[in-house]
Amino acid sequence: MNKVLVLLEHDGTTLRPSSGSAIGFARELSDEVTALLLGEDLGAIAAEAAKYAPVLTADHESLSQNVADRWAHVITEVARSQNAELIVATSTTWAKDIVGRSAGLLGGAMASDVTDHEITDGQLRLRRPMFAGAVNATLILEGSPKIITVCPSAYNAPKPADIPFLIETLSVDASTLPSATRFESLDCKKGARPDVTEAHIVVSGGRAFKNAEDFEKYVGGLADQLGAATGSSRALVDAGITPNSLQVGQTGKIVAPELYLALGISGAVQHLAGMKNSRVIAAINQDPDAPIFEFADYGLVGDVYKEVPRLIEELNGS
Amino acid sequence: MKILVPCKRVPDPDQKLRLNADATDIDGSAVTYILNPFDAIAVEEALRIRETAHPEAEIIAVSIAPAEGETDLRTALAMGADRALLIEHEGQIDPWNVARILAAVIHQEKPALILMGKQAVDDDANQVGQFLAAQLGWPQATFVSKIEFTTDGLRIHRETDIGIEIIHVTLPAVVTADLRLNEPRYASLPSILKAKKKPTEHSTPAKLGIKPEPRIRLLGMELIDSQRTCEKVTTATDLLDRLRESEVIE
Ligand SMILES: Cc1cc2nc3c(=O)[nH]c(=O)nc-3n(C[C@H](O)[C@H](O)[C@H](O)COP(=O)(O)OP(=O)(O)OC[C@H]3O[C@@H](n4cnc5c(N)ncnc54)[C@H](O)[C@@H]3O)c2cc1C
């Protein structure tokens, strides 16, 4: 695999840490990795990215918001002019939206949520979950360029280089950009805790928690003792108790922390899809037959309203 | 206004899957199918648009499936779609070719809005909506939890990893539904009976001028079972001890 273009996600100020996974994956495949950043006023972000790979920036006021049709248009033009054979990003809603559309402009040879790969007989074989993670499929992509999003938990960011790589600014012709989509606002609830995809420990709560105050007190309280992120099942998101950015699962985020603590979560296949590759899984549930225990290393049968305060207290005292 | 709703039949997630003999696909003979839950949400949203903003709307459900797939299109008809189109196709088909076939249907039907699920819960690819919008050159709104009609298009709430984003798109557009867009209705018995009389047209990729060009070649599948055995502890203290022994907490 020769030329690889890595698309990096950022929030206008810094790189999303999970972007490092895409660079890590790309590096395993090629020595010719270039990073691409889109946006406005990218100076500081580009400098951050240049620690990992040479950087191309499409820096223009018309790209100030990550609107899919515009961004995909620019990504496609850059991929073509760079003769990229492989385009990589970390699988997030951003990548699913924008990189997915770019793939639709570049011939559709795309694999999402890749968790592993190997090169056999010169072929890049990719592994990805299907059927809510009940099946692991091995596939190859036909055609070029190939577009791949990797699961953030599956690949690590490389070490930053001592001497930064070069940054090159591309020209953007705003008159050719699509204009059918207009960004209005983003209600970004950025809490003090790390993002669920980026934490070493995730404390997750399920339907056992009756309201947002309880969730914050018990799940949030335990997470803070452990320096952990909070996550939740869909049940709580649907009930309006937790924001959707906390949802772990087939249709939420896929996480694989060192420790996943499931509190009052039954262990539906759709939830398991998002966390079953965690290194250690522990569960507290009052139902001894809850399916979550089949996927846990340690289980405590009990009431979360009684057990979680004990955990917090012990951690607090130690 | 015409609304086109792509509908995929998927194995019911509440069953244990088995693989076929050469482990290249699931064993379809032993499987019950349902309408992809996200597509049911898309059908429901189309119905609500017809019930409120656009009473004149015509809702067309389209599926690419073997002939038996008509059953799952009937679900969409029973919910309230006006007519259905089944593009008959045996075997696996990847998102790129699904998007090509749908684009060909769209060129014939000329809908103003495509409402579809954000992903199908079999391959979990989350690609077709984006591919389709790209091929048509239409704006897209993915992972949508709320739709409002404006004078010149749609004002849309999107569920992203970092929060709710609001965008505006002009029509025609492709919109992909997330879970919280609505809760789909169950079809009543009378509407199920009525759906039997609604028209279902059959076609094929070839009749639409599409020859599938595979982009994904599946080499094999493996069923994933839990590799863990759960050690039950009886107190919170024991749990913390075990976690310390595993070196995941301090
Ligand atoms: C298309 C589709 C996609 C989906 N995607 C996702 C997804 O991405 N993520 C996701 O999580 N779900 C998803 N779901 C939903 C999933 O099927 C389950 O409904 C959901 O995960 C259940 O959440 P839960 O475990 O919190 O609730 P429940 O299944 O209701 O379980 C609650 C558990 O808490 C225990 N409990 C109750 N009270 C206490 C107490 N006081 N102390 C201890 N234990 C207690 C109960 O014994 C039970 O096991 C999806 C469903 C569909 C159809």
Side-chain angles (χ1 to χ4, degrees):
Chain A
M1 195 67 59
N2 293 326
K3 285 207 144 196
V4 183
L5 195 61
V6 182
L7 303 170
L8 300 181
E9 182 177 355
H10 61 86
D11 64 4
T13 322
T14 57
L15 287 179
R16 278 283 291 274
S18 61
S19 286
S21 307
I23 307 176
F25 171 73
R27 281 283 186 72
E28 288 187 30
L29 293 176
S30 168
D31 296 326
E32 277 187 75
V33 176
T34 307
L36 174 61
L37 278 170
L38 276 68
E40 188 186 12
D41 287 335
L42 290 168
I45 304 169
E48 207 185 330
K51 292 180 198 155
Y52 301 98
V55 181
L56 299 172
T57 64
D59 193 331
H60 195 272
E61 58 186 11
S62 62
L63 300 173
S64 63
Q65 301 298 341
N66 45 194
V67 170
D69 51 4
R70 287 197 163 196
W71 280 42
H73 178 94
V74 174
I75 291 167
T76 304
E77 297 220 314
V78 176
R80 287 199 179 118
S81 69
Q82 296 287 316
N83 293 314
E85 288 168 56
L86 179 63
I87 297 158
V88 181
T90 302
S91 184
T92 60
T93 49
W94 174 83
K96 284 173 184 159
D97 186 45
I98 289 173
V99 182
R101 186 176 176 107
S102 310
L105 296 168
L106 289 165
M110 179 173 184
S112 340
D113 299 314
V114 166
T115 53
D116 197 7
H117 72 278
E118 69 195 21
I119 294 182
T120 306
D121 308 329
Q123 269 177 349
L124 175 59
R125 299 185 168 190
L126 303 165
R127 249 183 292 282
R128 61 177 302 271
M130 290 172 55
F131 298 95
V135 168
N136 215 351
T138 305
L139 59 90
I140 52 180
L141 292 172
E142 316 254 20
S144 183
K146 303 184 196 318
I147 298 99
I148 296 173
T149 64
V150 296
C151 207
S153 55
Y155 294 93
N156 292 322
K159 291 219 163 26
D162 294 330
I163 305 161
F165 293 91
L166 290 181
I167 300 171
E168 189 188 328
T169 308
L170 304 168
S171 66
V172 177
D173 180 359
S175 68
T176 61
L177 297 178
S179 57
T181 313
R182 192 172 71 234
F183 171 86
E184 288 192 10
S185 66
L186 174 64
D187 177 11
C188 183
K189 287 198 196 66
K190 216 176 149 70
R193 299 192 185 102
D195 186 80
V196 66
T197 56
E198 286 154 9
H200 293 295
I201 302 179
V202 174
V203 181
S204 237
R207 206 189 307 268
F209 296 96
K210 304 267 170 318
N211 53 53
E213 293 72 42
D214 286 359
F215 182 86
E216 181 50 34
K217 183 170 160 204
Y218 295 93
V219 183
L222 183 54
D224 290 345
Q225 285 297 330
L226 294 166
T230 52
S232 91
S233 71
R234 176 189 164 193
L236 292 192
V237 183
D238 281 352
I241 294 173
T242 52
N244 82 299
S245 52
L246 260 54
Q247 182 177 315
V248 171
Q250 180 188 23
T251 51
K253 292 177 180 173
I254 298 179
V255 303
E258 288 290 295
L259 171 62
Y260 190 87
L261 210 52
L263 308 174
I265 292 177
S266 62
V269 280
Q270 293 91 353
H271 188 79
L272 295 169
M275 43 62 77
K276 68 181 174 191
N277 291 325
S278 307
R279 188 161 87 77
V280 173
I281 297 174
I284 304 180
N285 197 304
Q286 66 189 15
D287 172 8
D289 298 323
I292 189 75
F293 288 128
E294 281 167 48
F295 288 81
D297 302 288
Y298 304 108
L300 175 59
V301 178
D303 182 349
V304 290
Y305 280 89
K306 294 207 183 81
E307 300 299 343
V308 175
R310 288 181 186 144
L311 291 172
I312 294 175
E313 197 188 349
E314 291 220 13
L315 288 165
N316 209 357
S318 66
Chain B
M1 164 153 150
K2 259 193 205 180
I3 306 176
L4 194 102
V5 188
C7 291
K8 187 178 190 182
R9 73 198 295 248
V10 297
D12 188 332
D14 292 328
Q15 65 191 322
K16 229 173 170 51
L17 296 174
R18 283 190 311 206
L19 298 184
N20 65 5
D22 59 355
T24 51
D25 203 346
I26 59 159
D27 176 5
S29 67
V31 157
T32 56
Y33 288 91
I34 58 165
L35 177 59
N36 177 38
F38 289 100
D39 300 346
I41 295 171
V43 172
E44 174 66 35
E45 195 64 17
L47 300 176
R48 291 186 189 190
I49 290 170
R50 194 179 59 193
E51 283 157 8
T52 54
H54 286 277
E56 83 298 348
E58 185 190 17
I59 302 166
I60 308 151
V62 185
S63 191
I64 305 166
E68 315 85 87
E70 198 174 321
T71 327
D72 306 283
L73 269 176
R74 293 266 156 226
T75 309
L77 290 173
M79 285 174 73
D82 295 298
R83 59 187 170 91
L85 175 59
L86 180 67
I87 317 293
E88 289 185 28
H89 177 84
E90 292 285 341
Q92 287 159 346
I93 181 161
D94 59 33
W96 173 249
N97 290 292
V98 171
R100 288 174 65 222
I101 292 168
L102 291 175
V105 172
I106 289 157
H107 287 309
Q108 288 183 355
E109 294 282 350
K110 301 192 172 34
L113 178 60
I114 316 298
L115 257 171
M116 57 201 288
K118 73 164 181 178
Q119 83 191 57
V121 300
D122 51 359
D123 66 8
D124 285 330
N126 200 320
Q127 293 173 353
V128 174
Q130 293 86 317
F131 286 4
L132 183 59
Q135 287 185 16
L136 296 168
W138 293 6
Q140 74 189 39
T142 51
F143 327 139
V144 169
S145 60
K146 191 173 170 190
I147 301 174
E148 291 161 11
F149 279 81
T150 65
T151 47
D152 61 340
L154 305 172
R155 188 165 181 270
I156 279 181
H157 291 227
R158 300 184 56 231
E159 297 203 347
T160 77
D161 288 339
I162 43 177
I164 303 286
E165 182 186 78
I166 302 180
I167 60 170
H168 187 278
V169 294
T170 56
L171 291 172
V174 176
V175 172
T176 77
D178 214 319
L179 286 171
R180 279 165 285 277
L181 182 58
N182 61 51
E183 224 171 285
R185 70 196 63 187
Y186 288 102
S188 64
L189 193 58
S191 55
I192 293 171
L193 296 175
K194 216 169 104 194
K196 296 213 162 106
K197 297 197 194 87
K198 288 185 182 174
T200 301
E201 198 186 319
H202 289 242
S203 185
T204 61
K207 280 186 198 153
L208 291 162
I210 303 289
K211 186 168 170 291
E213 299 161 0
R215 292 292 191 262
I216 292 178
R217 184 142 58 90
L218 269 173
L219 300 179
M221 287 186 180
E222 204 188 327
L223 288 176
I224 305 298
D225 271 319
S226 173
Q227 307 290 325
R228 301 178 204 247
T229 38
C230 183
E231 181 187 340
K232 289 267 172 70
V233 296
T234 47
T235 66
T237 316
D238 287 348
L239 181 58
L240 289 176
D241 285 345
R242 292 295 179 281
L243 297 180
R244 289 197 183 99
E245 285 159 20
S246 314
E247 297 181 347
V248 287
I249 65 168
E250 288 179 1

